[in-house]
Amino acid sequence: DGDGLPVTNACTLIDFWERQGKVVPETLKEVLIRHGDTKLTSKHTKYLGWSTINLQLLCFGKLYQPVEYQLGLQTEPGTTLLAGGNEIHAGPPTKHSRMFAFAIGVPEDEGVDDLEDGFNDDDTGKNDGEVQYSPVLFHIDFCCLLFSMLDHEYKAPEKEGSVSEAKHFLVELLVELIRDYPMKEYLLQIDQEREDVRAWLESILSRITDGLLVNGQVEEAVRSNRILYTPDLIKRRPKKGKRRQRSERFLTQQPTYNLMKEPG
């Protein structure tokens, strides 16, 4: 994919998908373009610690593209390469063992105490080094954000079909990424509290390994209000049991009227 621009924002991501021959739903395009630079708030999710979509794509958008295009460096085995942060690093093809050293450095004046609500206010797009993504894990988080944005932006019943189309596109893309690298290690990298997506991903991995279809799992993720949503949004939803209890309390607390006739 050397014909287009690197994926660094919502517009270049859409362009990349279309150059891959994918039909990107218009609803999804609208959300991405309209909210590329929108400061993400708790109504979307603060669980991920993302500042804006475009800043995240500036850091990690290259994960959607083939590694060969981004890292076209030709070098001989045995070469020591020092590479800057925020990149995907892979050595030249070799059948021998290789060593990879990884380190994180955070300047003293940019400690975690300076970050508010998990957001990095540095709008330069620099990754602080603490967040490590693979294509699958990045797209899972991206789906969680976009699912909540689609629900929030298109609440009208007549938009239900468009929202479902956009969600299908995102989940089917996620399945493609999983097929490329079907590793169970993903399960170890997802927080325990995200049990729904972990269980779903485990099921997908098992079926892909066994050569089975995953149509049912795709539909399950599209229809679910838990699998591709972050824990903070799930916790904020009112539970049906609590709603029923409030209704019952309301009924029992209604004033009673004495219908007996007054003597007279």
Side-chain angles (χ1 to χ4, degrees), residues 258-264:
N258 187 351
L259 300 180
M260 294 177 60
K261 292 184 179 179
E262 295 183 3

Side-chain angles (χ1 to χ4, degrees), residues 84-133:
N86 214 21
E87 298 290 344
I88 307 167
H89 303 310
T94 178
K95 295 181 180 178
H96 302 287
S97 60
R98 67 177 67 184
M99 182 177 71
F100 179 78
F102 174 74
I104 294 174
V106 179
E108 290 184 3
D109 59 348
E110 295 180 15
V112 292
D113 292 339
D114 296 331
L115 304 183
E116 182 181 353
D117 295 329
F119 285 99
N120 187 341
D121 291 329
D122 178 9
D123 287 341
T124 63
K126 293 185 296 184
N127 182 18
D128 64 7
E130 295 292 342
V131 178
Q132 301 298 315
Y133 272 125

Side-chain angles (χ1 to χ4, degrees), residues 151 220-229 233-234 237:
D151 291 345
E220 179 189 11
V222 169
R223 293 178 177 274
S224 172
N225 65 354
R226 296 182 62 89
I227 292 174
L228 289 173
Y229 291 87
L233 293 185
I234 293 173
R237 293 187 189 128

Side-chain angles (χ1 to χ4, degrees), residues 241-252:
K242 288 187 177 179
R243 277 203 300 264
R244 187 161 48 248
Q245 289 172 7
R246 282 197 294 270
S247 300
E248 289 171 354
R249 280 201 302 271
F250 175 79
L251 290 172
T252 57

Side-chain angles (χ1 to χ4, degrees), residues 136-156:
V136 168
L137 296 178
F138 179 76
H139 192 67
I140 284 175
D141 281 359
F142 202 19
C143 284
C144 288
L145 172 63
L146 290 172
F147 269 41
S148 66
M149 295 184 89
L150 287 163
D151 291 345
H152 187 267
E153 292 287 313
Y154 302 98
K155 296 177 181 177

